[in-house]
Amino acid sequence: NPTQGILDYLSKHPADLLVMSTNQYEGLDRWQNQIVAEPVARESHTATLFVPTHEEGFVDRDSGRPKLRRVLVPVSPDVNPQLAIDMTAQLATTLGCDSLTVVVIHIGEDEALQSIRYPSRTGWLWHTMTCQGNVVDVILGMGADFDVDLIVMTTAKQHSLLDLMRGSVTERVLRGARSPLLAIPT
């Protein structure tokens, strides 16, 4: 069982970040194929960078240089939004991103945006927006509209039977995302 094997390894060798490829199965395909990446991330409680198998990611294949230019950070008052902001800044700093645009969105009222502290760095732009609509659809639409290189989301445990059946908001975004997604457990 690959899922259990990875979890056993992680229990003996904890990691700060998992990087996993994902097939993004939907509907009946989810029941017919073994899903590994989502349960490993969920059970390990480790920050996970998911890279869809059909996407190149944000590292240039030929040069190995990062090409992280635009990041989407959906936030919610239910989980600490500052964690996603800080992780985005830390990743961009580590990758040496001199020019970065981060779009921070909240679906609903803007109370989640009011307490956030944005790192100040020359060449980095932070935009905030509030939107209305289905959370997953809005996030996927914004990701496509802004042609983002990465989505960064804090994620909480599944809370209901419906979450167990269809997946958390982060898992549902992951299945439709056309860019890598960094999921940060709270």
Side-chain angles (χ1 to χ4, degrees):
N1 179 329
T3 301
Q4 193 57 52
I6 295 169
L7 290 171
D8 289 347
Y9 181 85
L10 287 171
S11 71
K12 295 175 186 140
H13 306 89
D16 295 323
L17 176 68
L18 298 176
V19 179
M20 302 190 78
S21 178
T22 182
N23 287 307
Q24 299 177 296
Y25 294 122
E26 286 284 354
L28 189 56
D29 285 340
R30 291 193 56 73
W31 296 97
Q32 293 176 332
N33 293 284
Q34 184 174 21
I35 308 298
V36 176
E38 290 176 31
V40 166
R42 185 173 46 250
E43 296 300 319
S44 70
H45 307 289
T46 303
T48 305
L49 176 62
F50 295 97
V51 181
T53 55
H54 61 278
E55 295 294 328
E56 187 172 312
F58 55 83
V59 175
D60 185 89
R61 187 180 306 226
D62 297 326
S63 69
R65 291 191 180 130
K67 53 181 182 177
L68 188 62
R69 301 159 294 147
R70 287 181 297 280
V71 178
L72 178 66
V73 182
V75 297
S76 164
D78 299 335
V79 291
N80 183 356
Q82 192 64 50
L83 187 59
I85 299 302
D86 294 345
M87 188 71 109
T88 301
Q90 183 179 2
L91 178 63
T93 299
T94 301
L95 294 175
C97 298
D98 294 327
S99 177
L100 182 70
T101 300
V102 181
V103 179
V104 181
I105 62 166
H106 180 262
I107 294 95
E109 301 301 319
D110 68 351
E111 70 272 0
L113 299 173
Q114 304 203 4
S115 64
I116 298 174
R117 294 174 317 281
Y118 299 99
S120 177
R121 184 163 173 178
T122 302
W124 288 10
L125 300 172
W126 298 87
H127 299 285
T128 60
M129 300 175 70
T130 57
C131 308
Q132 300 296 323
N134 175 281
V135 173
V136 174
D137 292 341
V138 169
I139 294 168
L140 293 174
M142 297 284 276
D145 289 349
F146 289 110
D147 190 27
V148 298
D149 303 307
L150 177 67
I151 299 172
V152 177
M153 297 180 70
T154 49
T155 185
K157 294 179 185 177
Q158 295 172 332
H159 297 290
S160 67
L161 180 59
L162 188 57
D163 280 351
L164 290 172
M165 291 177 60
R166 65 182 183 171
S168 67
V169 169
T170 302
E171 290 170 339
R172 288 182 284 146
V173 169
L174 171 63
R175 293 177 205 142
R178 298 296 163 239
S179 64
L181 184 146
L182 176 59
I184 307 162
T186 56

